[in-house]
Amino acid sequence: MGRWRPPGRDVLLAAGLLAVVQVEVWTVDVGDLAPTLAVALTVGCVGLAFRRVAPLTSTAISIVGALVVPALVGNEAATTLGWLMVCLAAAASCGYHARPPLAGLVLVLGLIGVALAVEHAPAVSEILFGWILGGGAWFAGYALATQASLTRLARDHADLVEERSRLRADAALVDERLRIARDIHDSLAHSVSVMQLHVGGVRRLLAPGQVRERAALEAAEAAGREATAELHRILAVLRDGEGGGDPSGVDLEATSLGQLPRLIGVAIDAGLRVDHRERGRPRALPHGIDQAAFRIIQEALTNVRRHSGARRVEVTVDYRPTELVVEVRDDGAGSPGGEPLRGHGLTGMRERVTAYGGTLVAGPGERGGFVVRACLPLPPSGTAESDEDSRALGAARGLVAGGGEP
């Protein structure tokens, strides 16, 4: 039953037309036909209230009540105009709502033709004129319906494209964060291993009577081994089928600035002319920052090859006292991917830089092309970290070679 309840706007339309036609019927001299016309036009207006829920039935009721019945009782159409408003509203509504549309057009033209044939004992010119009016109203409604459908489809398509872009951006962000997590995992595991070597080296230098000290250092070594194993267990799923194995020295070195010549060689093989410059005094870097800098340059070169159409690239690594600055500048179109500040690769770069408290600037260069510039702060006492690691490794190896404890 709820399906047949007319919408409020349709009720208002029907009520408005009903008021107009009733005033006209009772103020215009139509003779004894006034009661009959009043009832017929009332039925026709009420039919418009159901133009959305039953378009064909509503159209038939409206045209029959407003045009066919008055023609059958002998009313001259020229004496009133209310019937015309009701019929045109019904025809336009039929074109907008009726499905299939052609069935509504046949219904409108058929009822108008019957009414005019009865009234004018068929006159072809009168019927054609009525068809032009009724068909024009139907066509206007149909055109509006088509335009509304196209607008809805365009809006739905835009929403779909936006949702798809958002999902792709989210997926790319998740992938990049997983890769960052793998790099951090390798860096942490390496750092914990170095601490174990330090502790082991000190333990081997203890005198036989230092029992408490030896026990404390052995506990520290055990905790380090347990922490390393826990890192592997927690982050094993991030290694994409590598089985969560121990990070090897090769894995760590493969994502460091020491491998930058190899990365530049790949770009040169792809057809780019690459100028590599180093400023300042090169020195050992904390592993995490070293990996982040390498990944940023790697992603920037990938974007240049894929999107910019550049032929020449400048890669600059600037070792400053308190920060490391890496810059990749190309001479391409100046906007990789069309929307540089929202690209997936730049999102990953920004994630890496933010993780170390740095800043990233990516955009068109002042001389054209596109520039990616990342500033990574260096800890005040962290520049010699790798040297300390090397000394610890050397001390441990010396002790082992000299017959110390395993």
Side-chain angles (χ1 to χ4, degrees):
M1 294 296 293
R3 183 178 182 275
W4 289 90
R5 183 178 303 166
R9 288 178 297 175
D10 295 345
V11 172
L12 290 177
L13 173 64
L17 288 175
L18 179 60
V20 171
V21 298
Q22 290 298 325
V23 169
E24 186 181 43
V25 166
W26 295 108
T27 57
V28 175
D29 184 13
V30 292
D32 297 336
L33 296 178
T36 304
L37 292 178
V39 173
L41 288 170
T42 298
V43 173
C45 291
V46 170
L48 285 175
F50 297 91
R51 62 196 185 98
R52 297 177 193 267
V53 294
L56 294 176
T57 302
S58 170
T59 301
I61 292 174
S62 297
I63 296 179
V64 168
L67 184 59
V68 177
V69 171
L72 290 174
V73 299
N75 177 63
E76 180 64 33
T79 59
T80 59
L81 289 177
W83 66 269
L84 181 60
M85 291 187 294
V86 175
C87 288
L88 291 180
S93 177
C94 184
Y96 193 97
H97 296 291
R99 295 295 179 270
L102 290 180
L105 177 61
V106 171
L107 177 65
V108 169
L109 297 183
L111 291 176
I112 291 176
V114 168
L116 294 178
V118 170
E119 182 180 349
H120 297 284
V124 176
S125 60
E126 296 291 340
I127 294 175
L128 288 177
F129 182 71
W131 280 354
I132 291 173
L133 288 178
W138 177 92
F139 182 79
Y142 179 71
L144 287 175
T146 302
Q147 184 60 41
S149 297
L150 292 176
T151 301
R152 285 193 298 271
L153 288 174
R155 185 169 58 250
D156 293 343
H157 178 70
D159 292 343
L160 180 62
V161 170
E162 183 178 356
E163 179 67 13
R164 186 177 298 173
S165 298
R166 186 187 65 81
L167 291 175
R168 287 178 178 174
D170 291 345
L173 182 59
V174 169
D175 289 343
E176 187 61 26
R177 284 179 174 176
L178 291 179
R179 192 165 68 166
I180 293 172
R182 288 196 298 269
D183 289 346
I184 293 175
H185 163 258
D186 290 345
S187 180
L188 287 175
H190 175 81
S191 298
V192 173
S193 299
V194 170
M195 286 189 288
Q196 287 179 255
L197 289 174
H198 276 291
V199 172
V202 173
R203 177 175 59 82
R204 293 178 179 88
L205 297 176
L206 293 177
Q210 294 177 284
V211 178
R212 288 185 179 180
E213 291 82 352
R214 186 181 302 277
L217 293 177
E218 287 176 348
E221 283 188 275
R225 287 192 296 270
E226 192 172 315
T228 303
E230 186 66 18
L231 274 174
H232 295 331
R233 283 194 295 270
I234 293 175
L235 299 174
V237 69
L238 302 179
R239 302 194 65 84
D240 294 337
E242 294 176 15
D246 295 340
S248 65
V250 175
D251 290 334
L252 290 171
E253 294 174 0
T255 55
S256 69
L257 290 178
Q259 295 298 312
L260 190 54
R262 176 182 59 82
L263 184 62
I264 290 175
V266 173
I268 293 175
D269 291 340
L272 290 175
R273 177 186 171 189
V274 183
D275 294 336
H276 176 207
R277 302 173 183 174
E278 289 189 355
R279 297 174 181 170
R281 181 181 177 185
R283 59 185 182 274
L285 301 170
H287 290 293
I289 293 178
D290 197 9
Q291 290 174 341
F294 178 85
R295 291 294 193 191
I296 290 168
I297 296 174
Q298 182 183 41
E299 189 63 44
L301 290 176
T302 300
N303 284 345
V304 170
R305 293 199 306 269
R306 290 180 178 176
H307 306 298
S308 71
R311 294 186 177 182
R312 184 173 178 271
V313 183
E314 296 179 6
V315 178
T316 304
V317 181
D318 189 358
Y319 295 88
R320 298 181 179 180
T322 59
E323 65 180 358
L324 174 70
V325 179
V326 295
E327 181 180 282
V328 178
R329 180 188 300 269
D330 66 63
D331 63 353
S335 185
E339 295 184 0
L341 297 182
R342 299 175 60 184
H344 299 163
L346 293 178
T347 300
M349 296 182 204
R350 189 167 286 109
E351 288 286 323
R352 290 182 179 276
V353 171
T354 302
Y356 291 98
T359 59
L360 178 74
V361 177
E366 64 277 5
R367 301 190 305 272
F370 195 81
V371 179
V372 174
R373 180 184 177 88
C375 298
L376 297 166
L378 297 175
S381 60
T383 55
E385 178 182 334
S386 294
D387 293 337
E388 295 175 1
D389 295 349
S390 299
R391 286 197 296 270
L393 287 170
R397 288 168 182 161
L399 287 171
V400 172
E405 289 182 68

